[in-house]
Every structure is written in C-alpha cells, then in structure tokens.
Amino acid sequence: MLRSKSGFQKRVKEVAPNAKGIHCMIQRFALASKTLPDELCKILEAVVKCVNFVKAGDLNSRFFQNFCRDMDSKHKALLFYSKVRWLSMGNVVNRVFELRELHGKDDLLSQFNEVLWEPRLAYLADIFEQLNRLNLKLQGKDRNVFYLMDCLRAFLAKLQNWQRKINAGNVAMFENLSTVLDENEDHLLDPSLKTEITQHLKSLENEFKKYFPEFEEKDGKLVRNPFSSTLDIATIHNDVQDKFLDPKNDSAAKDVYEERSLTVFWCSMYQSYLKVSEIALRVLLSFSTTYLCESGFSTLLHIKSKSRNRLDVDPNMRCALSVTLPRNSHLTERKQCQPSH
C-alpha cells in the first residue's frame, strides 16, 4: 500500500515532488534482528514451548506458582511470548533464564535436553537484552533521523567488536553467559558455541547493513553542524552557497546552536535565513519512526474500552496526546467557587 513505485508514496510524490518516504526504523530493526542459528533457535523454541505449557491452563499456572514459592524463587510467573510485541522475546528469555535453577527438579523443563542448553540460553538472554536496549533508544519523541542513525551505527560497531572478543574467548560483555561459564569448572567457551555466537553476530551485522544502508544525506553535514570547519561549501547546492555563508559567520546563531537542540535551532533560524532553514527542516521533519502513531493507538485503546465503546474520543485524545501543559490555576481562577447555602 505504501510502495514507492506504485503505492501511496508514488501518489504523494506526484503532487509534492520534494516529499521523502522513509520506512519506519523500528520496524526495520525488528526485521533485522530475526535471525538465529539452528541450535540457538532450538533453545528459543524450547523456551516458548515451556512457557506456553505453563500459561495454557490455570491449573498449570497455579502449580508453577506454588513450585516457585517452595523454591524461594524471585519470580512466581512466566511471561508470554508474542511476535507482535518487539520487546517480548527478550523479556521472556530473561525470565526463563532467571528461573533456570528449576531445571531437573520438574518435568516442565525437560525440553532443555541439549548439552550446552544453559550457555546458549544465557547468550540468548544477553543478546536479546542488548537488542531491547537499542529498541528502546529508537522510541520516544523528538527522535530525528541523525539520532537514530547514530544509535544504529554504534550498535553495528558493537557487533563487530563483540565478534573480535568472542574469537579471542572473551565473553565479559555478555553478563549472563559469563556467569554461567564461571559456574563451570573449565571457565572456557565451547568451540561449537563460539562458532554459533560468531555466526549469529555476523548474521546480525549483515542484516543491519541490509536494512539500514549507510545514511548518505546530501545536506546531512550542513544540517547537523553548519558551523563545522570541515564543511566544504562546494558540496552545497549552488543557489544556497552564498546564503549559507551568512548563518555560518553569524556569532549569535552559533550561540543558539550550542544552547538549543538541532530542531529548535533551525526553527529559530527560519525567519532570518529562510532558504537554508527550509533545506534543514525538510530533513529534520521527516517521520523516521511510527512511534507517535503507535503511542496514539495505545492511548486510544486505553481511553475507549469495551465499557466505553460509544465514547467520542476526539476531545480525550487531543488532551492525552497534547504536549501543551494545562494551566489549571488560570482556569480555576476564572470559575466561581460553590457558595455556602
């Protein structure tokens, strides 16, 4: 529906040729992170099967809760895995890993019959935790494309660094895996597991490069830092080069740039330097994620429930999603208090 050649994007660009279409970076991240070697995938399937067995019926859930209470476990319940929710996989694996001491004491965890099931489970908990942290960084308001690409480049560099460390036998960056290896007598990473982890990290690196090609915005350096000494004026559009030299040598504008965010700075420059600001705002105002849309759906589900299905939610949604703080004291001063009878 949103295809760039025959869908919505093409129709929009026919009317507005300068419009840009960007695939949501959070959704691309979710697609890039769906890769696992066969042995690690078996562990994940066993985790999901165990969780579904416990959560499928009330009787199993109560038995498991009592069992955890008798074992003085920190947690008393498991978490459901849902492919629709981006953070679900990491939370489920981490909860099962924290309950790993129950292995061998109940038929529930008999699915873990692999020799290296515990180190593999520890690695899955660690890598999914790292992916969840990156996912949370990509969410939130005021996230421009430069910030998101910086986060993705940093994670890509971490993947390359982790591959180097794993090949050297260093697992300090994976806390759970390091803890499991310290509990064993040899304290060494199994060669087959080392190959699986290296293979997974390399596949993640390739997928991220596939879904996030290097961001080469022609005016990116101008927008990010117009006062940079390394910015070559010859790389800027011919009709903007002379206009660009005015804000570049404006000391007051440089003070605003150092004190304000990038978006606020270019908005404040719009009246003084119209042509340059239009180029910058065209880059900054693109919706690089669907976070605001998704948060709006969540707000709608919270307001319009089954008990309030006939509610007109427009005013409520406007108040819930507005960034303007209500002036409660000013509103109450204009109202007369209830007089005594």
Side-chain angles (χ1 to χ4, degrees):
M1 184 177 65
L2 299 178
R3 294 188 297 271
S4 59
K5 295 184 178 180
S6 60
F8 178 75
Q9 291 190 36
K10 183 177 182 298
R11 297 293 184 90
V12 171
K13 290 181 179 179
E14 290 176 354
V15 180
N18 293 328
K20 295 176 58 178
I22 299 178
H23 188 185
C24 175
M25 290 190 175
I26 298 179
Q27 294 179 355
R28 279 190 282 171
F29 161 79
L31 294 173
S33 59
K34 290 182 178 180
T35 172
L36 277 177
D38 293 337
E39 297 300 328
L40 295 177
C41 189
K42 291 179 182 179
I43 297 296
L44 181 60
E45 291 175 354
V47 168
V48 175
K49 190 172 182 179
C50 289
V51 172
N52 291 341
F53 176 80
V54 173
K55 306 289 287 186
D58 294 336
L59 182 60
N60 292 342
S61 298
R62 289 196 298 269
F63 280 158
F64 186 78
Q65 184 177 6
N66 294 333
F67 180 65
C68 292
R69 187 181 296 109
D70 295 338
M71 297 296 297
D72 294 329
S73 177
K74 178 181 177 181
H75 301 289
K76 303 296 187 297
L78 296 172
L79 302 176
F80 253 134
Y81 168 58
S82 174
K83 292 184 179 181
V84 179
R85 300 183 179 181
W86 293 318
L87 306 181
S88 175
M89 185 183 298
N91 294 334
V92 170
V93 175
N94 272 284
R95 178 61 61 86
V96 173
F97 177 78
E98 292 176 1
L99 295 171
R100 71 188 188 283
E101 67 273 6
L102 303 181
H103 174 69
K105 300 182 178 63
D106 192 82
D107 292 336
L108 169 65
L109 301 180
S110 61
Q111 297 294 328
F112 297 103
N113 51 12
E114 300 288 339
V115 177
L116 298 174
W117 73 268
E118 194 171 6
R120 288 190 176 107
L121 181 63
Y123 169 73
L124 288 177
D126 287 324
I127 193 63
F128 287 147
E129 177 65 22
Q130 295 291 341
L131 291 171
N132 283 358
R133 290 177 184 176
L134 176 59
N135 196 314
L136 292 175
K137 286 183 180 180
L138 300 181
Q139 301 180 36
K141 301 178 181 179
D142 300 329
R143 295 288 192 264
N144 58 52
V145 66
F146 296 111
Y147 173 83
L148 299 180
M149 288 306 300
D150 288 343
C151 294
L152 293 168
R153 288 193 187 99
F155 187 77
L156 189 61
K158 290 179 181 178
L159 290 175
Q160 297 170 352
N161 187 41
W162 292 342
Q163 293 178 54
R164 179 185 60 81
K165 289 186 175 182
I166 288 295
N167 290 328
N170 184 3
V171 296
M173 62 285 187
F174 297 137
E175 182 179 353
N176 295 327
L177 179 58
S178 180
T179 301
V180 170
L181 294 180
D182 290 341
E183 294 174 354
N184 298 331
E185 296 179 357
D186 51 4
H187 303 280
L188 296 177
L189 187 63
D190 188 87
S192 60
L193 180 59
K194 180 189 295 187
T195 303
E196 294 171 13
I197 294 177
T198 305
Q199 178 186 352
H200 181 227
L201 295 177
K202 185 63 179 178
S203 62
L204 277 178
E205 179 186 353
N206 295 334
E207 288 297 311
F208 270 83
K209 289 181 179 179
K210 171 186 173 182
Y211 283 98
F212 298 97
E214 187 68 20
F215 181 72
E216 296 180 355
E217 178 64 41
K218 186 175 182 180
D219 302 311
K221 198 168 185 179
L222 164 65
V223 177
R224 181 186 288 271
N225 188 1
F227 306 99
S228 175
S229 58
T230 60
L231 180 60
D232 186 7
I233 193 173
T235 60
I236 306 175
H237 296 284
N238 292 327
D239 56 342
V240 190
Q241 290 180 1
D242 293 337
K243 296 181 177 60
F244 163 72
L245 292 175
D246 292 331
K248 181 177 177 61
N249 295 277
D250 189 344
S251 58
K254 187 175 182 180
D255 294 337
V256 177
Y257 173 80
E258 294 175 351
E259 296 175 358
R260 306 291 180 84
S261 64
L262 199 60
T263 306
V264 175
F265 165 73
W266 282 114
C267 289
S268 63
M269 295 293 107
Y270 187 78
Q271 297 294 333
S272 302
Y273 309 104
L274 177 62
K275 193 67 176 180
V276 181
S277 299
E278 284 181 349
I279 297 175
L281 293 176
R282 191 179 299 120
V283 176
L284 292 173
L285 293 182
S286 59
F287 290 92
S288 50
T289 69
T290 58
Y291 172 80
L292 294 177
C293 181
E294 299 292 343
S295 61
F297 283 125
S298 299
T299 303
L300 176 62
L301 291 176
H302 180 71
I303 294 176
K304 195 166 187 177
S305 60
K306 292 182 179 180
S307 301
R308 310 169 68 187
N309 55 4
R310 300 184 64 182
L311 177 68
D312 182 13
V313 297
D314 289 350
N316 304 73
M317 289 279 291
R318 188 176 295 109
C319 293
L321 299 176
S322 176
V323 296
T324 304
L325 297 177
R327 296 177 296 174
N328 294 326
S329 58
H330 177 72
L331 296 174
T332 54
E333 288 176 357
R334 300 171 60 181
K335 299 295 181 180
Q336 180 180 0
C337 300
Q338 178 68 28
S340 58
H341 297 285

